[in-house]
Amino acid sequence: MEQLAKKPTDLDKYVFLHTIQDSDETLFFAILTTHTEKVMPFVYTPTVGEACQKWGEIYRHTPRGLYISINDAGSIDSILDNHPHQDVKVIVVTDGERILGLGDLGVNGMGIPIGKLALYTACAGIHPEQTLPVHLDVGTNTEGLLKSPYYMGLRQKRDRTQAYVDLVKEFFAACQKKYGRNVLIQFEDFGNTNAFRLLEDHQKTATTFNDDIQGTASVVLAGIISSLGMTKKARVADHRFVFLGAGEAGVGIADLIAIAVRHETGCTLEEARAKIWLVDSKGLVSNARPDKLADHKLHYAHAPPPSHANPSSGNALLDAIKSIQPTGIIVVSAQGQTFTKEICEEMARINEKPLIFALSNPTSKSECTATQAYEWTNGAAVFASGSPFDPVTLKDGRRFVPGQGNNAYIFPGLGLGAVACDATSVLDDDMYVAASALAAQVTPEDLASGCAYPPLSDIRNVSLHIAAAVAENMVKSGRALSKPKRGESYVDMCRRSVYTPKY
Ligand code: NAD
């Protein structure tokens, strides 16, 4: 840890840690499990963003993960044979099209599956030999990469033909053949034109989920549930939300909020969705929009409120806030610094305790800083961000600990639960259960400091309890091949699968 502290830049710290991973995996995971909060930013967001941008430049001699190109179609079976470990339980796969909020990074996106799987081990104890990072290389549309001498992927534009869909299909079939029907396959950082349809294509026949859509939704819902007291609401159903960003994260979160409201009130999903409004790059999503809306936005194309007839501020989010009067805003547009003082002030004018979740990653894409959110609302905001921010002390001495709506709160625990019970599917209902289990572990002390999430230092314990809740849901709904032994609790059953690095 002293050597790590002496590395001059965050990227140097990233390379240093991964060099340890390449040479002494046990030490790497011992560091990650002992100092999770300190090292996570150098293993995952925000540093992994820069690492991916410079992937070719920082590439080291030890290969990690499988790169499968579209030219390998027909041979995926034999490519999987090249991986040294056979007992794979969790796969994270990307095609590199939408890496964090940084766009299309082609094969440089491999840093994300590697980082996420490190967190599966660090945060929940999935054995490192049971994890497999995969990149499906179908080209990139980023000219700079195609021209870079350091770029290691196919030098061609992205394949958007049926061959791409077939490659993903072959990949799923090969993984299930080799590792078993119930191997958990997590979609990661696919562009939203593919993400929704691929999830739909595979979710019924494989144990799979998309972390950008469903994992994000679960962690954000957990923050909304845990902060109900802070926002002075009795139920999620008492909120009204405006989103900026209507992509994977935005629509995924909106859909899960609607499921939570249905659970709480017994209303229909349509009724629940009526309290959720989306703003995308073209303005308020509504049924009055002249352009053709993408399918995933259609559920939220409500009739625009009469007061929205003449939006006047020139800022679509501010106009939406003025006409819809939300209790919470959730921002996932990856535009960086899109919040104005006026937006936060307006939220604080409408609400005693506005919920403001500014979730775009990495830090350069965050809509505002934690300091801005607290200062602009005079400490009223219940704030969470995507990338970490330090605690903030206002001029009057009040101190706030901003929550980080980090997906690492959910996917490792969810994965552990699925692995422990040999789950046959992952459903949105599991995401709701995971969110409720996470929210239940936020303590009164966390809430007193303004934080809607538990400390990351407690993540292994948190993940174990999420795993137990999820496994119980899977077993009880008949979607699991294993169940607890007689007299064993779900927590104990999940604990049996946990790897602890001994150093
Ligand atoms: P996406 O590409 O699927 O969606 C982005 C959306 O933003 C699109 O709907 C687009 O129309 C909209 N948008 C773009 N420019 C806009 C503008 N100027 N005004 C309004 N909307 C605009 O991406 P995504 O998967 O939804 O991710 C979005 C961001 O959320 C990324 O930065 C990602 O890192 C972040 N994210 C954070 C977390 C987390 O903190 N837990 C989880 C997932 C995603």
Side-chain angles (χ1 to χ4, degrees):
M1 290 304 285
E2 281 178 27
Q3 288 188 20
L4 180 69
K6 283 185 187 138
K7 299 291 168 202
T9 68
D10 290 355
L11 191 61
D12 289 322
K13 291 182 170 55
Y14 176 92
V15 172
F16 175 69
L17 286 166
H18 283 283
T19 304
I20 295 175
Q21 184 181 18
D22 294 343
S23 57
D24 186 344
E25 205 169 46
T26 313
L27 173 60
F28 175 75
F29 285 111
I31 295 170
L32 252 69
T33 45
T34 317
H35 303 280
T36 314
E37 200 154 8
K38 254 192 193 150
V39 298
M40 203 192 272
F42 308 120
V43 173
Y44 204 66
T45 52
T47 313
V48 71
E50 190 187 353
C52 287
Q53 286 171 313
K54 298 178 179 161
W55 196 243
E57 290 147 69
I58 62 167
Y59 195 74
R60 296 166 314 285
H61 64 283
T62 317
R64 184 168 292 280
L66 290 179
Y67 295 79
I68 300 173
S69 100
I70 195 144
N71 298 336
D72 297 320
S75 314
I76 299 183
D77 270 341
S78 64
I79 291 177
L80 293 183
D81 289 339
N82 292 334
H83 185 61
H85 305 297
Q86 307 306 312
D87 185 27
V88 170
K89 302 264 189 209
V90 185
I91 297 168
V92 176
V93 59
T94 188
D95 72 356
E97 186 173 4
R98 196 243 62 192
I99 295 301
L100 305 172
L102 301 169
D104 181 352
L105 297 188
V107 295
N108 289 12
M110 181 56 123
I112 300 293
I114 290 174
K116 283 242 153 141
L117 285 164
L119 298 188
Y120 267 103
T121 303
C123 302
I126 303 286
H127 197 293
E129 289 181 3
Q130 294 178 332
T131 66
L132 175 61
V134 175
H135 192 288
L136 297 179
D137 183 7
V138 296
T140 175
N141 289 350
T142 301
E143 286 297 331
L145 291 175
L146 291 173
K147 289 188 188 134
S148 164
Y150 299 113
Y151 186 62
M152 299 182 292
L154 283 181
R155 288 176 192 270
Q156 66 172 53
K157 291 270 169 161
R158 265 183 192 279
D159 191 304
R160 303 247 185 236
T161 67
Q162 183 62 30
Y164 168 87
V165 178
D166 292 344
L167 184 79
V168 178
K169 203 169 164 193
E170 183 189 338
F171 170 70
F172 266 74
C175 291
Q176 289 184 312
K177 188 170 146 206
K178 188 162 181 64
Y179 307 121
R181 157 64 182 78
N182 300 336
V183 60
L184 178 65
I185 305 177
Q186 178 189 314
F187 283 110
E188 185 64 38
D189 285 3
F190 283 70
N192 66 33
T193 42
N194 291 317
F196 288 99
R197 67 175 173 146
L198 288 177
L199 180 62
E200 207 178 315
D201 285 353
H202 294 281
Q203 149 177 86
K204 290 195 183 75
T205 50
T207 307
T208 188
F209 72 101
N210 180 310
D211 192 53
D212 310 301
I213 301 173
Q214 298 164 288
T216 305
S218 187
V219 77
V220 173
L221 177 63
I224 295 168
I225 295 174
S226 69
S227 65
L228 283 173
M230 282 198 272
T231 51
K232 303 191 189 294
K233 301 278 177 290
R235 307 169 306 174
V236 179
D238 299 329
H239 272 295
R240 190 166 47 252
F241 292 105
V242 167
F243 284 64
L244 184 71
E248 294 169 59
V251 171
I253 300 164
D255 283 349
L256 197 62
I257 289 176
I259 288 173
V261 170
R262 185 180 60 179
H263 268 281
E264 285 176 343
T265 65
C267 71
T268 63
L269 278 182
E270 201 184 347
E271 286 162 346
R273 286 173 178 142
K275 288 181 156 193
I276 301 171
W277 294 82
L278 310 180
V279 175
D280 67 10
S281 55
K282 299 196 179 78
L284 186 69
V285 171
S286 78
N287 61 12
R289 277 263 291 263
D291 56 315
K292 185 177 173 345
L293 292 170
D295 285 353
H296 59 268
K297 301 179 191 176
L298 291 177
H299 288 307
Y300 301 94
H302 316 308
S307 53
H308 199 75
N310 296 306
S312 56
S313 76
N315 181 315
L317 177 60
L318 184 58
D319 286 334
I321 292 171
K322 285 186 170 162
S323 58
I324 294 158
Q325 306 264 302
T327 55
I329 50 175
I330 294 176
V331 188
V332 275
S333 62
Q335 294 307 301
Q337 290 292 316
T338 43
F339 271 16
T340 59
K341 190 168 179 237
E342 217 181 339
I343 286 172
C344 291
E345 283 175 350
E346 183 65 11
M347 282 302 289
R349 195 186 63 75
I350 306 171
N351 301 283
E352 190 186 335
K353 295 290 286 175
L355 182 143
I356 299 180
F357 282 9
L359 296 170
S360 293
N361 289 319
T363 317
S364 62
K365 300 288 178 187
S366 188
E367 291 73 20
C368 67
T369 63
T371 305
Q372 287 170 328
Y374 292 120
E375 281 182 350
W376 290 342
T377 60
N378 191 24
V382 174
F383 177 77
S385 57
S387 292
F389 283 107
D390 288 334
V392 174
T393 305
L394 293 184
K395 285 196 187 96
D396 59 13
R398 281 178 299 159
R399 184 174 186 273
F400 299 92
V401 179
Q404 186 194 356
N406 191 327
N407 287 33
Y409 280 117
I410 292 289
F411 68 81
L414 179 103
L416 176 63
V419 166
C421 73
D422 284 316
T424 54
S425 66
V426 179
L427 302 180
D428 283 339
D429 201 42
D430 299 315
M431 298 294 164
Y432 172 70
V433 167
S436 306
L438 172 56
Q441 290 174 86
V442 182
T443 63
E445 293 75 47
D446 300 328
L447 296 172
S449 66
C451 190
Y453 295 98
L456 278 170
S457 51
D458 197 28
I459 188 73
R460 277 211 155 199
N461 186 39
V462 168
S463 296
L464 184 63
H465 285 88
I466 292 172
V470 167
E472 182 169 359
N473 191 46
M474 289 166 161
V475 170
K476 291 192 171 159
S477 56
R479 293 179 292 115
L481 302 184
S482 308
K483 53 183 184 186
K485 294 176 185 160
R486 186 176 295 189
E488 189 181 46
S489 68
Y490 281 94
V491 168
D492 287 340
M493 177 178 88
C494 293
R495 197 180 276 123
R496 270 197 277 127
S497 303
V498 169
Y499 154 85
T500 304
K502 295 271 185 303
Y503 209 80

